[in-house]
Amino acid sequence: SPLTGSQTTAVSTTTSGPSSATPTASTPVSPPVSTPGVTESGTTTKFTTSGPTPSPHSTTKVTEPSTHEPTTTESPPTGSPTTAVSTTTSGPSSPESTASSTVSPPPVPTSTVPVTTSGTTLTESFTTTSGTTSSNFTTITTTTTTSEITSPVSTSTSGPKATSSAVTIPGSESWWLCNCTKAICIEDNKIEVVPIICNPPPKPTCSNGLSPVPVIDEDGCCWHWECDCYCTGWGDPHYMTFDGLYYSYQGNCTYVLVEEITKKVDNFGVYIDNYHCDAHDAVSCPRTIIVRHETQEVRIATTKPNTLEVEVTVNKQVVALPYKKFGVSIYESGINRVVEIPALKMNVTYNGLSFSIRMPYSLFGNNTYGQCGTCNNKTADDCMLPDGSIAKNCETMADHWQVVDPSKPQCSPGLAPTKVPSTTTPQPCKESSICELILGSVFKPCHEFVQPEKYYRACVFDSCVLPSLDLECSSLQIYAATCADQGVCLEWRSHTSGVCSYKCPSGKEYRACGPVKERTCKASQQNETSTKEVEGCFCPNGTMLYDSGVDVCVKTCGCVGVDMTPREFGEKFTVDCQDCVCVEGGTGIVCRPHECPKPSKNGCDGEGFYEVNEVNPEDSCCPMVTCKCNASLCTAKAPRCSLGFEVQSHIPSGQCCPVYQCEFSITLSETVNNSLTAGPNSSVFVDKCQNCFCTNEVNISTQLNIISCEHIPCNTYCEPGYERQPVKGECCGRCVQTKCAIHTAQNSNLILSPGEFRNDPYNNCTIYSCVKLHNQFISSTSEITCPAFNEESCKPGTVTFLPNGCCKTCAPLDSPTPCSVRQRRDFIVFRGCRSADRVVMGECEGTCGTFSMYSAEANSMEHSCSCCRESGSSLKEVELKCPDGSTISHKYISVESCQCQDTECSNPQSNGLQSREEQDKASALNRSKRAISLTSK
């Protein structure tokens, strides 16, 4: 049984009078772990302690059962054989005070009350049985006589003293005291104080092979063992149920891993989304783990197949870790992402290749179903179906736990699988040497805590079915994680020759045995009581993580800002043009806007200058103002100089615009002298591109003959596709190609610009194009190949061209698709049952002759309508599978032949005009698509 009660011994103390006695009992036995206790019936009973303590005139006596009259006393909390020891106290109370462990009953008026009790009462032994735990009780109560009990005297300065006696109903009230001590009102102010003493219970054996965990009883004092609900999945994929039953399942839909049979938690469940992870769709791998709790849905999805890269979303929004809201906590633990619900004492772990679910038996025992089975420490009912029945095997059961997933329309919840998935390799193969590590010395320290055989079988299966994906690493990984959960942490990746290596990001180092929650600067004093370890990437020795939400390793705990750079306390720095300082306390970093020095007033007053803001290499936050020169802003123009003079320019220092002046030129002077000596109508050389001669006209200012020049004649003709463009150093320029010149078969020339297409003017089946590539003009010729065509098979007058203008066809443009049979493959669904495979069904498609024309005789429109309908059909039969696993035979009609048949032309409504136009547009679009399809074929 997963529940094993502890052994309990009760020590009874009886006091008379309002004063209380100090319990004389042993300290309760503590379980291996400390858990806050609860009081009887799950409620907290408040009590007060006050009053003087009795003098040490008390005796403790243990008596054996006798034949005296039996009386009934209240039983202690569940446990094993219990022996009650009674203590009787008599005499007046002492004036000394004690600590809060002293107890008083409900208050009574201050007085001196004479009380007389006598006799001895002994109860007989009896045995009670509850569930699987039996308890034996022997209770002895001994009382003595006292003549008077002194109560505290009132401190009022006047008035008489009131005297009274408090009388209670025997056994009518009880309450819990501190240190697992219970007070029971017996009668007439008699209080029985019962300290609880616990004996360690025997350790049970869990069917899942894991160690049981100690759990505090409801009384908050004793404890018992329980087998936690622990379900895992990995690889392609393999499952280990809560009770340790192993199976494999290759479905690629979304399934229930665990839900409550009797719903106690609102909107609670864990689900898995599988996908085919091989090229042949033969095996599946986990892709997303979904956890629902009340108003939140957490998804941990793999971002890259067969890797440890995952993304976390809450209600379809990506969140950063750690995340804590509405009773759900999500954080990183080594290579894993953990979803924890503290109120339910459960957590779900996923890393992209494997998952685990841990839930307490005390909250979920005998109340789970799904692919993880029923948590009751029995494997017999782990393959439970949604209706409560038990399947022959869990592979068949798993398919019944499909859920509706809009992203997977091919999945139909409730349908039985077409065949039972195989859990063995299809053919013998040599398993990967990595799998042998599970049975070898690397994992040997864990063998006595977690049996390795099931993980070895899964590893062999993965290495044989998917040898290229290295999925066998997931079997070693989940086995190592389960061992670490049981307190045995192993370094195994270094023994895989790099096949299962794990690479950490920069600044982190891999450890096989690291803390579940890494110590950070923000929680450096945290008391982490967990001794479990996980593998993952951690900060190097000598450093620690700055914060759980800031993934930066630091040597000293200072500050980390938005630039993710560690800073020490007191360090000043500039980031995002903010002057910041790292201070201890508060938010850690205090910033203010960066102050720039006032710009110097050099000014850009000169002509042609303008201001430019440039980046300051010494301070990128403060721009540097400089003056730039733009000659186009200058207003001065170059003058025209007299004959024999030429324009000279220079830019004075510190200015932008040039200064022009005419200076005497020896070259021009010689030219003038030559022209003067040449005489009128003589040739004069000015430059090689001009023919100049001296005219008879005289310049009045210089009294020199005017020289007249003409540009030398140039041949302006260029070949087709070429254009003449000016070239420096040449007088007539040069012919430069700007287009493609194409010679057709009919000796005609086509001039095409780059990117232009054009049909041959004499043959529509030939298309020319031009493209410019690396300053080269390349022309190409394309020929359209038409499908086979027999003009004799066309009806007279129906021969026409396709839209490409090249190929002929029989179908006119108004009727491109004649009425014919089209075959379609689809599933047949009838009354919730569906065919196992797609079924071939015939249907009619095409257009028929339909016209409308005006009749002068009838003075109205005449209509002739014809539609494409079946002319021959057959009745076929198919077998359908139903959700309950049964099959039915279903008959359906399949079209064998089609033809155009006359039909009645309906009178269109006024609102049908628009729909007809839309149909015409759609018909024209379909005709174009079919024409293009025929051309491509």
Side-chain angles (χ1 to χ4, degrees):
S1 171
L3 296 174
T4 305
S6 54
Q7 307 296 320
T8 304
T9 302
V11 180
S12 166
T13 304
T14 305
T15 67
S16 60
S19 59
S20 59
T22 304
T24 57
S26 302
T27 304
V29 177
S30 301
V33 294
S34 176
T35 305
V38 297
T39 59
E40 185 181 33
S41 302
T43 61
T44 302
T45 305
K46 299 179 66 175
F47 61 89
T48 59
T49 63
S50 63
T53 57
S55 59
H57 300 301
S58 61
T59 59
T60 301
K61 179 171 61 177
V62 179
T63 61
E64 295 299 326
S66 64
T67 58
H68 288 246
E69 180 183 356
T71 60
T72 303
T73 61
E74 184 170 334
S75 301
T78 55
S80 353
T82 302
T83 303
V85 181
S86 74
T87 300
T88 305
T89 303
S90 63
S93 60
S94 66
E96 298 177 356
S97 301
T98 62
S100 60
S101 61
T102 60
V103 181
S104 68
V108 297
T110 59
S111 62
T112 300
V113 183
V115 179
T116 303
T117 59
S118 62
T120 302
T121 304
L122 177 65
T123 61
E124 63 182 357
S125 300
F126 61 96
T127 302
T128 62
T129 303
S130 175
T132 58
T133 306
S134 62
S135 305
N136 295 325
F137 299 91
T138 304
T139 305
I140 307 122
T141 303
T142 305
T143 60
T144 59
T145 303
T146 179
S147 60
E148 185 176 83
I149 298 175
T150 303
S151 300
V153 180
S154 173
T155 59
S156 63
T157 57
S158 63
K161 298 180 180 178
T163 60
S164 64
S165 175
V167 181
T168 59
I169 301 173
S172 63
E173 186 177 359
S174 64
W175 62 95
W176 284 99
L177 310 179
C178 58
N179 296 329
C180 291
T181 305
K182 188 175 185 179
I184 305 174
C185 178
I186 304 303
E187 60 180 349
D188 294 336
N189 289 335
K190 284 186 180 180
I191 300 172
E192 184 179 25
V193 180
V194 184
I196 304 300
I197 299 177
C198 304
N199 295 321
K203 194 172 185 179
T205 299
C206 298
S207 63
N208 56 18
L210 304 181
S211 300
V213 295
V215 179
I216 297 294
D217 291 341
E218 291 184 1
D219 58 16
C221 299
C222 300
W223 57 277
H224 60 275
W225 294 105
E226 287 184 2
C227 294
D228 266 354
C229 309
Y230 189 71
C231 174
T232 57
W234 70 95
D236 56 350
H238 312 284
Y239 294 88
M240 196 85 74
T241 65
F242 287 133
D243 298 328
L245 184 63
Y246 168 81
Y247 69 96
S248 298
Y249 176 65
Q250 312 303 336
N252 69 324
C253 297
T254 303
Y255 305 91
V256 177
L257 286 177
V258 57
E259 282 184 350
E260 290 183 301
I261 300 175
T262 302
K263 309 302 180 185
K264 298 179 181 179
V265 182
D266 184 29
N267 189 32
F268 171 75
V270 183
Y271 311 87
I272 187 171
D273 172 16
N274 290 339
Y275 74 104
H276 284 314
C277 52
D278 72 320
H280 305 290
D281 292 347
V283 296
S284 300
C285 297
R287 175 166 53 192
T288 305
I289 290 294
I290 306 166
V291 181
R292 291 177 182 167
H293 178 250
E294 296 181 349
T295 61
Q296 300 189 94
E297 180 182 274
V298 180
R299 287 177 174 260
I300 310 178
T302 304
T303 57
K304 187 177 180 181
N306 302 323
T307 66
L308 300 178
E309 300 176 16
V310 297
E311 180 183 71
V312 181
T313 61
V314 177
N315 295 339
K316 300 182 180 180
Q317 297 293 326
V318 178
V319 298
L321 303 186
Y323 170 93
K324 189 173 184 180
K325 191 175 183 181
F326 299 146
V328 174
S329 176
I330 313 172
Y331 57 89
E332 295 184 25
S333 180
I335 63 174
N336 302 310
R337 304 298 185 274
V338 182
V339 181
E340 187 173 329
I341 306 177
L344 302 180
K345 302 177 184 178
M346 69 159 292
N347 63 68
V348 179
T349 299
Y350 182 59
N351 55 34
L353 295 178
S354 61
F355 72 86
S356 65
I357 304 172
R358 179 181 290 276
M359 303 192 302
Y361 182 89
S362 57
L363 297 180
F364 294 93
N366 287 298
N367 195 33
T368 65
Y369 59 4
Q371 289 187 341
C372 279
T374 304
C375 178
N376 58 3
N377 211 34
K378 295 184 296 184
T379 59
D381 57 358
D382 275 1
C383 302
M384 180 183 292
L385 300 178
D387 59 4
S389 60
I390 308 300
K392 294 181 180 179
N393 55 66
C394 286
E395 289 83 359
T396 303
M397 170 273 292
D399 196 78
H400 287 267
W401 288 105
Q402 289 186 35
V403 296
V404 177
D405 188 345
S407 65
K408 295 186 174 182
Q410 77 277 8
C411 297
S412 301
L415 288 180
T418 54
K419 62 179 181 178
V420 176
S422 174
T423 58
T424 59
T425 55
Q427 57 185 4
C429 77
K430 180 174 176 57
E431 69 274 9
S432 170
S433 59
I434 295 177
C435 299
E436 298 176 358
L437 296 176
I438 298 178
L439 302 178
S441 59
V442 175
F443 285 94
K444 186 176 181 179
C446 182
H447 290 173
E448 62 177 302
F449 299 95
V450 183
Q451 296 299 318
E453 287 77 14
K454 297 173 183 177
Y455 302 93
Y456 175 75
R457 285 168 48 197
C459 182
V460 172
F461 178 85
D462 291 345
S463 66
C464 290
V465 177
L466 297 173
S468 61
L469 295 183
D470 296 333
L471 275 182
E472 58 267 28
C473 295
S474 63
S475 295
L476 276 72
Q477 176 185 297
I478 192 67
Y479 184 52
T482 306
C483 292
D485 183 78
Q486 297 299 300
V488 182
C489 189
L490 303 169
E491 164 57 59
W492 61 276
R493 291 187 184 271
S494 60
H495 298 274
T496 62
S497 301
V499 177
C500 301
S501 61
Y502 186 75
K503 185 177 181 181
C504 290
S506 176
K508 294 289 190 75
E509 63 181 20
Y510 172 80
R511 293 183 201 164
C513 305
V516 173
K517 289 187 178 180
E518 192 170 3
R519 190 168 67 98
T520 68
C521 289
K522 297 297 183 181
S524 58
Q525 303 301 324
Q526 63 186 5
N527 296 323
E528 182 59 52
T529 58
S530 175
T531 59
K532 296 180 180 179
E533 295 176 302
V534 295
E535 67 168 330
C537 296
F538 302 93
C539 289
N541 292 329
T543 65
M544 71 171 63
L545 195 65
Y546 179 75
D547 195 6
S548 55
V550 181
D551 194 15
V552 177
C553 298
V554 297
K555 293 182 179 179
T556 58
C557 291
C559 308
V560 174
V562 293
D563 59 348
M564 305 302 287
T565 302
R567 313 281 183 180
E568 295 185 0
F569 291 127
E571 181 180 348
K572 296 181 180 180
F573 56 98
T574 300
V575 60
D576 292 339
C577 293
Q578 297 271 322
D579 292 331
C580 305
V581 59
C582 173
V583 296
E584 190 170 4
T587 58
I589 297 178
V590 178
C591 298
R592 62 181 181 181
H594 181 66
E595 295 183 359
C596 296
K598 294 182 179 180
S600 59
K601 295 184 178 180
N602 1 7
C604 297
D605 299 331
E607 185 181 14
F609 285 109
Y610 66 99
E611 292 184 354
V612 175
N613 289 331
E614 293 183 338
V615 177
N616 189 346
E618 298 179 357
D619 188 352
S620 60
C621 294
C622 297
M624 182 173 56
V625 179
T626 59
C627 292
K628 295 291 184 180
C629 174
N630 185 358
S632 64
L633 300 177
C634 298
T635 57
K637 303 297 181 182
R640 296 185 65 180
C641 298
S642 301
L643 191 63
F645 292 82
E646 65 180 353
V647 177
Q648 297 290 337
S649 65
H650 70 282
I651 300 175
S653 176
Q655 295 187 16
C656 173
C657 296
V659 176
Y660 299 98
Q661 60 185 11
C662 292
E663 295 182 357
F664 179 74
S665 174
I666 297 178
T667 304
L668 292 179
S669 177
E670 292 177 351
T671 302
V672 172
N673 291 333
N674 291 337
S675 65
L676 290 175
T677 57
N681 300 321
S682 298
S683 296
V684 178
F685 177 80
V686 175
D687 63 58
K688 66 177 183 178
C689 294
Q690 296 186 82
N691 291 327
C692 300
F693 62 94
C694 182
T695 66
N696 292 322
E697 297 180 16
V698 178
N699 190 319
I700 298 176
S701 59
T702 62
Q703 295 299 312
L704 298 175
N705 288 44
I706 297 175
I707 298 175
S708 176
C709 297
E710 293 179 354
H711 200 283
I712 64 173
C714 294
N715 181 10
T716 59
Y717 173 78
C718 290
E719 293 289 335
Y722 289 77
E723 294 181 0
R724 186 169 296 276
Q725 295 180 355
V727 178
K728 187 177 180 180
E730 296 186 14
C731 297
C732 296
R734 187 182 303 167
C735 290
V736 178
Q737 185 177 7
T738 58
K739 298 180 181 180
C740 295
I742 302 175
H743 266 303
T744 66
Q746 288 75 21
N747 293 325
S748 60
N749 291 328
L750 291 179
I751 307 300
L752 274 66
S753 300
E756 184 180 0
F757 293 81
R758 191 179 301 177
N759 288 78
D760 189 295
Y762 302 100
N763 182 6
N764 279 336
C765 294
T766 303
I767 300 176
Y768 301 102
S769 63
C770 176
V771 63
K772 184 178 181 180
L773 185 64
H774 301 302
N775 291 325
Q776 296 290 325
F777 290 83
I778 302 172
S779 60
S780 62
T781 304
S782 303
E783 298 287 343
I784 298 177
T785 303
C786 297
F789 172 70
N790 184 9
E791 190 170 338
E792 297 179 355
S793 63
C794 298
K795 294 182 180 179
T798 62
V799 178
T800 185
F801 286 95
L802 292 175
N804 56 30
C806 169
C807 303
K808 292 183 179 181
T809 180
C810 291
L813 294 179
D814 291 339
S815 179
T817 305
C819 179
S820 60
V821 177
R822 183 176 73 92
Q823 290 188 340
R824 176 170 60 92
R825 297 176 63 87
D826 203 354
F827 291 100
I828 292 183
V829 180
F830 179 72
R831 294 181 180 176
C833 303
R834 191 184 73 175
S835 59
D837 300 310
R838 296 181 185 272
V839 178
V840 178
M841 293 179 285
E843 56 185 24
C844 293
E845 183 184 50
T847 57
C848 297
T850 298
F851 68 86
S852 296
M853 61 181 296
Y854 175 75
S855 172
E857 295 181 0
N859 193 23
S860 64
M861 296 295 296
E862 288 187 353
H863 308 282
S864 175
C865 299
S866 177
C867 65
C868 184
R869 300 181 59 178
E870 72 279 1
S871 59
S873 62
S874 62
L875 194 63
K876 295 186 177 182
E877 188 173 353
V878 65
E879 187 178 75
L880 306 183
K881 292 191 175 183
C882 301
D884 59 358
S886 62
T887 59
I888 61 172
S889 180
H890 176 70
K891 295 181 179 180
Y892 68 97
I893 299 174
S894 179
V895 176
E896 303 295 340
S897 60
C898 303
Q899 69 179 18
C900 294
Q901 301 181 20
D902 293 336
T903 184
E904 182 180 356
C905 299
S906 60
N907 186 22
Q909 302 295 327
S910 59
N911 59 359
L913 296 177
Q914 182 178 0
S915 62
R916 191 186 314 142
E917 293 177 357
E918 295 176 352
Q919 292 174 1
D920 292 342
K921 291 180 180 179
S923 177
L925 179 61
N926 289 333
R927 289 198 300 269
S928 300
K929 290 181 178 179
R930 288 167 180 159
I932 294 172
S933 175
L934 288 174
T935 302
S936 63
K937 291 179 181 179

